[in-house]
């Protein structure tokens, strides 16, 4: 009895040991009846079924089908059972479990059908559709009549309300669809910006490798020159013949008879078996311009800051560069002229020779022209300089106005200090070419084109120089030209019949509004054409072949401090705070705009006009769309509580070429931006 209680506790109250034994006896009897030996009380159903299966397997057709099925691959077996269309459908509609697990949650409260319904245009039902639509059944009409029981006007208003409510609901769905599309577009833009950054990094690596290859090519060129020099020396040694035997004694007696103190003593080796001293061949100087220029700055957003160079310790007075990421020359009131590598932002050397500060300069390929307060114009050839070996390209922007651009590493964007890495003193020792001395006062403006250089001085004269002969070929007296123009016209304003323009003359005997302004503020020459801007606000166009003023442009009320012209237009900047664009074909003003402070420098390229207007930013004017914008934010004056820009960071000089902008500040820093 106790044992039965234990079994019951183990098996549970619903299933007892007696039930399990009964179920086991039934299973045993059933199995013996089906598969047991034939005897009394048993059936042959199972044996008959097995016998029929063996009989079917003996058929040749079934054996062949089984054998062919075994030989076929699983792919062929599937293709035999399924059609190609069904296989393609299953392949396209198959979704792996990984994708099913990573399905994002849809926060949209509208269904796909509602979105499709909202995308349909809203239009009134046309008469044609009303005429050809299917008529409702009589039962449906009866249902509508039952549903629309009430006052006819009330029913009509309710229908109109439902229609407007449905329209409002559709508008909400459309608004949600537009918001979803905006989010999708933002995601695509972010992905494209990431791809753009990857390609920019790849371009930077290619430019670094390009710089290394150019350096390797330069070293190979130097080796080739050295080997050519050795071959020439060996050829000269081989050409020297040994003197005849009978003449050796006479030569020896002559050498013995020569006194030791004679200048010719031991000037040549005995018996002339060694060659005489030959002047060493001067090595070809390294070109300052790269064969392939960097182009990554063209893909930066306009206004992106590339670097800030602490170039000088005082105000920048002049600067210029030959090409983007090429060679830049800067001059300041600290009486130094420095040569810079814009590709790496380091100083290559100093141009020493002037006895005072340089007021103006120009860089063209390897030639540099500088004009100083010492009244001299000096020419330099940078191809004779000894430059240090470059390490890597530097084109990573240190600051970008584009929010999609990521800031560069601090290690890459750090600008070198010119005092911490001074170049070799002898790096520019062979660069001076010649000195042009004729002016009696400081040089305030200069420009050269091909073999002609024109300089303007505070002595109120312009001088034309022949760079081949290195001498002055013509002197233009601005005051004399002014007097001639004044005496040739009986009235203050006259018209030149030959040119059809107004030749108004403004007397130069009066002092300009700014007494500290340079008399010759700016000039530019091209072949026989010369444009000159002076302190009286006049812009005079000269013909260097005759030395006469061809045309005078009147418009500025302050001294002209900057000008530049091309085939069609002439752009001038003045102390009257305005920038004027002149049409050289008619002599009329094409466009003009003004700023809040006097202009100190201006220049233009194919697309933009940049100007320094007494602020810590460079003023940019887009000639295409007429848009004005600023580049290069300066330091903020802490004394004013951050409300105004510091005067020390004011931009004084600007230069732009091919969208590459350089600006010099009063603090001696030079900023480089894309424009």
């Amino acid at each position: 009895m106790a044992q039965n209680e234990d079994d019951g506790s183990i098996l549970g109250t619903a299933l007892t040991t007696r039930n399990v034994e009964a179920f086991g006896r039934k299973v045993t009897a059933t199995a013996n009846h089906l598969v047991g030996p034939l005897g009394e009380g048993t059936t042959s159903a199972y044996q008959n079924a097995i016998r029929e299966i063996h009989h079917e397997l003996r058929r040749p057709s079934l054996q062949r089908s089984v054998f062919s099925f075994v030989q076929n691959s699983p792919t062929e077996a599937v293709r035999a059972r399924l059609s190609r269309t069904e296989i393609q459908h299953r392949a396209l509609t198959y979704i792996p479990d990984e994708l099913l697990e990573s399905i994002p949650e849809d926060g949209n409260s509208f269904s796909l059908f509602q979105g499709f319904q909202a995308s349909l245009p809203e239009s009134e039902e046309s008469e044609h559709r009303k005429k050809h639509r299917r008529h409702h059944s009589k039962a449906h009409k009866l249902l509508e009549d039952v549903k629309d029981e009430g006052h006819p006007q009330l029913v009509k208003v309710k229908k109109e309300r439902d229609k407007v409510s449905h329209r409002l609901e559709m508008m909400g769905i459309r608004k949600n669809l537009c918001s979803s599309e905006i989010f999708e577009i933002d995601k695509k833009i972010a992905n494209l910006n990431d791809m753009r950054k990857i390609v920019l990094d790849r371009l930077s690596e290619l430019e670094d490798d390009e710089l290394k290859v150019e350096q390797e090519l330069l070293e190979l060129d130097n080796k080739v020159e050295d080997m050519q020099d050795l071959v020439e020396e060996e050829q000269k040694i081989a050409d020297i013949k040994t003197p005849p035997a009978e003449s050796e004694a006479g030569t020896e007696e002559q050498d013995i008879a020569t006194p030791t103190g004679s200048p010719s003593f031991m000037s040549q080796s005995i018996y002339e078996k060694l060659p005489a001293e030959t002047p060493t061949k001067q090595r070809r100087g390294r070109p300052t311009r790269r064969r392939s220029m960097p182009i990554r700055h063209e893909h930066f957003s306009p206004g992106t800051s590339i670097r800030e160079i602490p170039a000088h310790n005082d105000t920048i007075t002049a600067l210029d560069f030959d090409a983007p990421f090429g060679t830049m020359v800067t001059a300041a009131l600290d009486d130094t002229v420095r040569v810079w590598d814009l590709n790496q932002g380091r100083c290559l050397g100093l141009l020493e020779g002037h006895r005072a500060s340089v007021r103006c300069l120009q860089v063209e390929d390897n030639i540099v022209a500088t004009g100083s307060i010492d009244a001299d114009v000096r020419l330099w050839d940078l191809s004779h300089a000894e430059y240090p070996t470059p390490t890597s390209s530097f084109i990573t922007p240190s600051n970008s106005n584009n929010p999609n651009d990521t800031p560069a590493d601090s290690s890459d964007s750090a600008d070198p200090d010119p005092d911490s890495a001074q170049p070799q003193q002898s790096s520019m020792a062979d660069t001076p070419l010649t000195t042009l001395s004729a002016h009696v006062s400081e040089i305030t403006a200069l420009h050269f084109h091909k073999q002609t250089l024109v300089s303007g001085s505070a002595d109120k004269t312009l001088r034309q120089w022949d760079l081949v002969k290195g001498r002055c070929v013509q002197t233009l007296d601005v005051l004399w030209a002014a007097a001639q123009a004044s005496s040739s016209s009986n009235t203050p304003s006259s018209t030149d019949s030959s040119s059809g323009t107004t030749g108004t003359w403004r007397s130069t005997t009066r002092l300009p509004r700014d007494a500290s302004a340079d008399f010759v503020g700016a000039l530019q020459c091209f072949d026989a054409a010369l444009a000159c801007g002076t302190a009286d606000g006049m812009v005079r166009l000269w013909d260097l072949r005759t030395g006469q003023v061809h045309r005078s442009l009147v418009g500025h009320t302050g001294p002209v401090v900057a000008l530049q012209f091309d085939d069609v237009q002439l752009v001038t900047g003045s102390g009257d705070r305005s920038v004027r664009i002149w049409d050289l074909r008619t002599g009329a003003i094409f466009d003009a705009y003004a700023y809040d402070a006097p202009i100190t420098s201006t220049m233009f390229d194919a697309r933009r006009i940049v100007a320094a207007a007494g602020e810590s930013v460079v003023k940019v004017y887009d000639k295409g769309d007429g848009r004005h914008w600023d580049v290069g934010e300066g330091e903020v004056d802490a004394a004013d509580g951050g409300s105004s820009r510091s005067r020390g960071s004011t931009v004084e000089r600007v230069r732009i070429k091919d969208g590459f902008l350089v600006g010099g500040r009063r603090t001696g820093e030079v900023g480089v931006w894309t424009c």
Side-chain angles (χ1 to χ4, degrees):
M1 186 67 181
Q3 185 178 3
N4 293 335
E5 292 178 358
D6 296 338
D7 295 340
S9 62
I10 295 174
L11 297 176
T13 57
L15 185 64
T16 62
T17 306
R18 186 176 299 176
N19 299 128
V20 174
E21 292 177 354
F23 178 74
R25 287 193 297 269
K26 292 180 180 180
V27 171
T28 303
T30 304
N32 291 332
H33 181 75
L34 292 176
V35 297
L38 297 175
E40 295 180 359
T42 61
T43 59
S44 60
Y46 178 77
Q47 287 78 6
N48 294 334
I50 295 298
R51 192 180 298 109
E52 290 179 1
I53 292 174
H54 285 287
H55 181 72
E56 291 291 335
L57 290 176
R58 291 191 184 96
R59 292 183 179 182
S61 59
L62 183 60
Q63 291 180 356
R64 285 194 299 269
S65 62
V66 172
F67 182 74
S68 62
F69 178 77
V70 172
Q71 286 184 341
N72 292 336
S73 62
T75 304
E76 294 176 353
V78 172
R79 290 180 178 176
R81 296 293 301 274
L82 302 176
S83 62
R84 178 176 297 180
T85 305
E86 187 175 0
I87 293 174
Q88 292 176 354
H89 173 72
R90 293 188 179 186
L92 293 176
T93 56
Y94 171 73
I95 301 177
D97 296 336
E98 293 79 3
L99 295 179
L100 293 176
E101 293 176 357
S102 60
I103 295 177
E105 296 182 359
D106 189 8
N108 196 347
S109 59
F110 301 101
S111 64
L112 182 62
F113 177 75
Q114 288 176 331
F116 174 75
Q117 188 178 8
S119 62
L120 295 177
E122 293 183 358
S123 59
E124 297 294 336
E125 192 175 12
S126 62
E127 295 294 334
H128 178 76
R129 186 175 179 182
K130 290 181 179 180
K131 182 178 180 180
H132 293 279
R133 63 183 177 181
R134 189 177 64 177
H135 297 283
H136 297 286
S137 61
K138 183 177 181 181
H140 189 71
K141 287 184 177 181
L142 293 175
L143 289 175
E144 286 185 351
D145 294 338
V146 173
K147 183 178 179 181
D148 296 338
E149 289 181 354
H151 196 276
Q153 295 294 334
L154 180 61
V155 172
K156 184 177 180 181
V157 172
K158 287 183 179 180
K159 288 184 178 180
E160 188 69 22
R161 183 193 62 182
D162 295 339
K163 183 177 180 181
V164 174
S165 177
H166 177 72
R167 183 180 179 186
L168 180 62
E169 183 182 359
M170 293 297 104
M171 287 183 177
I173 296 174
R174 292 193 190 98
K175 184 173 66 175
N176 192 10
L177 291 176
C178 293
S179 179
S180 301
E181 290 181 2
I182 292 175
F183 285 135
E184 292 295 330
I185 293 173
D186 291 339
K187 292 180 181 179
K188 293 179 181 179
I189 292 175
N191 294 333
L192 290 176
N193 288 329
D194 294 339
M195 295 176 61
R196 187 176 187 273
K197 185 178 181 299
I198 294 173
V199 177
L200 280 177
D201 294 339
R202 191 187 311 162
L203 178 61
S204 178
E205 294 177 358
L206 289 175
E207 291 180 350
D208 291 340
D209 296 339
E210 192 177 49
L211 182 63
K212 295 178 181 178
V213 172
E214 287 189 2
Q215 178 63 24
E216 184 179 358
L217 181 60
L218 180 62
E219 294 176 356
L220 293 176
D221 291 339
N222 293 334
K223 289 182 180 180
V224 170
E225 291 182 0
D226 294 339
M227 294 184 66
Q228 289 179 351
D229 294 340
L230 292 176
V231 170
E232 292 178 359
E233 291 179 0
E234 292 178 357
Q235 186 67 26
K236 290 180 180 179
I237 294 175
D239 292 341
I240 297 177
K241 297 181 180 179
T242 304
E246 58 273 9
S247 62
E248 291 182 0
T251 305
E252 184 177 0
E253 293 176 356
Q254 184 178 0
D255 293 338
I256 295 175
T258 304
T260 305
S262 176
S264 61
F265 180 70
M266 294 297 292
S267 61
Q268 294 181 352
S269 60
I270 300 176
Y271 303 122
E272 298 182 355
K273 291 184 178 181
L274 295 177
E277 296 181 358
T278 57
T280 59
K281 182 180 179 181
Q282 186 177 5
R283 184 181 297 276
R284 177 176 57 87
R286 175 185 171 186
T288 59
R289 294 187 63 180
R290 293 180 52 182
R291 296 187 178 183
S292 57
M293 301 306 298
I295 60 173
R296 188 185 178 191
H297 71 283
E298 299 177 358
H299 304 284
F300 293 155
S301 59
T304 301
S305 176
I306 298 177
R307 65 166 69 250
E308 289 284 339
I309 304 175
H312 295 272
N313 299 323
D314 209 334
T315 303
I316 302 291
T317 57
L319 60 84
D320 194 13
F321 64 97
D322 56 355
F325 294 101
T327 302
M328 178 180 67
V329 181
T330 60
L333 292 179
D334 57 4
D335 297 343
T336 60
V337 181
R338 295 178 180 268
V339 182
W340 300 87
D341 182 4
L342 287 174
N343 193 42
Q344 297 182 350
R346 60 176 177 175
C347 183
L348 302 177
L350 301 175
L351 299 180
E352 300 176 342
H354 284 290
R355 300 182 300 275
S357 299
V358 171
R359 295 289 310 279
C360 53
L361 62 87
Q362 181 186 352
V363 180
E364 191 71 26
D365 292 337
N366 295 327
I367 305 300
V368 179
T370 56
S372 172
I373 298 178
D374 59 8
D376 289 340
V377 176
R378 289 180 176 267
L379 297 178
W380 319 77
D381 189 355
L382 298 182
S383 64
H384 295 160
E386 295 293 336
Y387 295 111
T389 302
T391 55
S392 64
S393 176
F394 185 94
I395 318 178
T396 303
S398 59
N399 185 15
S400 177
N401 294 337
N402 190 356
N404 298 323
D405 295 340
T406 57
D409 297 337
S410 58
S411 60
D412 295 338
S413 61
D415 293 322
D417 189 358
D419 297 333
S420 61
Q422 288 290 343
Q424 299 179 0
Q425 296 295 331
S426 60
S427 60
M428 300 290 170
D430 299 332
T431 56
L433 288 179
T434 184
T435 302
L436 307 178
S437 300
H439 289 286
V440 296
S441 186
E442 61 177 308
I443 308 297
T444 57
L446 63 83
H447 189 271
F448 70 89
H449 176 71
K450 295 182 179 179
Q451 303 300 330
T452 301
L453 184 145
V454 179
S455 59
S457 173
D459 59 8
K460 299 179 178 57
T461 61
L462 305 174
R463 292 184 181 270
Q464 179 184 356
W465 305 84
D466 187 353
L467 297 182
V468 177
K469 299 179 181 179
R471 63 184 182 88
C472 180
V473 297
Q474 185 175 198
T475 301
L476 305 176
D477 192 341
V478 180
L479 292 179
W480 180 83
Q484 290 294 112
S486 178
S487 61
S488 61
S489 60
N490 298 325
T491 60
S493 177
S494 63
T495 302
D496 188 359
S497 59
S498 60
S499 60
T501 59
T502 303
T504 305
W505 168 247
R506 193 174 301 171
S507 177
T508 57
T509 56
R510 62 171 183 172
L511 292 176
R513 295 183 179 180
D514 187 4
S516 62
D518 299 327
F519 185 82
V520 180
L523 60 86
Q524 180 184 350
C525 63
F526 182 81
D527 291 340
L530 171 65
C532 172
T534 54
D536 60 353
M538 299 284 289
V539 179
R540 297 176 178 86
L541 306 181
W542 300 72
D543 188 351
L544 294 178
R545 295 168 296 185
T546 61
Q548 301 293 328
V549 176
H550 176 66
R551 179 181 296 172
S552 297
L553 305 179
V554 182
H556 285 292
T557 59
V560 178
V561 297
L563 65 82
Q564 182 186 357
F565 66 85
D566 56 10
D567 297 340
V568 179
Q569 294 178 341
L570 182 143
V571 178
T572 57
S574 172
D576 60 3
R577 303 178 300 174
S578 68
V579 175
R580 296 175 184 266
I581 305 174
W582 308 79
D583 191 342
L584 292 178
R585 296 166 296 185
T586 61
I589 296 178
F590 175 76
D591 193 5
Y593 53 92
Y595 294 110
D596 297 333
I599 307 297
T600 58
S601 178
T602 184
M603 190 177 180
F604 69 88
D605 62 359
R607 295 182 56 186
R608 297 178 175 91
I609 302 176
V610 297
E615 298 184 16
S616 62
V617 295
V618 179
K619 299 294 184 178
V620 181
Y621 171 72
D622 196 318
K623 296 188 293 185
D625 55 9
R627 182 171 60 96
H628 291 267
W629 49 289
D630 300 338
V631 172
E633 288 292 337
E635 300 176 356
V636 178
D637 193 357
D640 296 338
S643 60
S644 62
R645 299 185 179 92
S646 173
R647 291 187 60 189
S649 61
T650 301
V651 178
E652 291 290 331
R653 297 291 182 267
V654 291
R655 303 291 292 176
I656 184 173
K657 292 181 181 179
D658 299 332
F660 192 85
L661 175 61
V662 174
R665 302 182 183 273
R666 287 185 182 177
T667 56
E669 295 181 354
V670 176
V672 183
W673 307 276
T674 59
C675 185

